Amino acid sequence: MKANVGTVDRVARIIVGLALIGLAAAGVIGVWGYIGIVPLATAFVRFCPLYVVLGLNTGAGEKAKS
């Protein structure tokens, strides 16, 4: 797996993932908020399978550590 998630994208994924999980834990948006695990996981592994399908790479200008 070659890294295809850049730094700015990673930060955004972490913020969105934590926000969704936090809202779900607080009971604001229900259990669907735990879908925030997906952006968190893709941020930590720096790889998004959907980006491969779509041909995207937000980490193109960065050194890939894979």
Side-chain angles (χ1 to χ4, degrees), residues 12-24 36-37 39-40 44:
R13 288 169 184 263
I14 291 169
I15 292 169
V16 168
L18 289 175
L20 285 171
I21 293 169
L23 289 170
I37 292 170
L40 276 179
F44 289 122

Side-chain angles (χ1 to χ4, degrees), residues 3-49:
N4 63 359
V5 176
T7 304
V8 174
D9 195 3
R10 285 179 75 194
V11 170
R13 288 169 184 263
I14 291 169
I15 292 169
V16 168
L18 289 175
L20 285 171
I21 293 169
L23 289 170
V28 175
I29 61 173
V31 296
W32 285 103
Y34 289 108
I35 197 74
I37 292 170
V38 174
L40 276 179
T42 57
F44 289 122
V45 297
R46 298 190 67 186
F47 178 76
C48 179

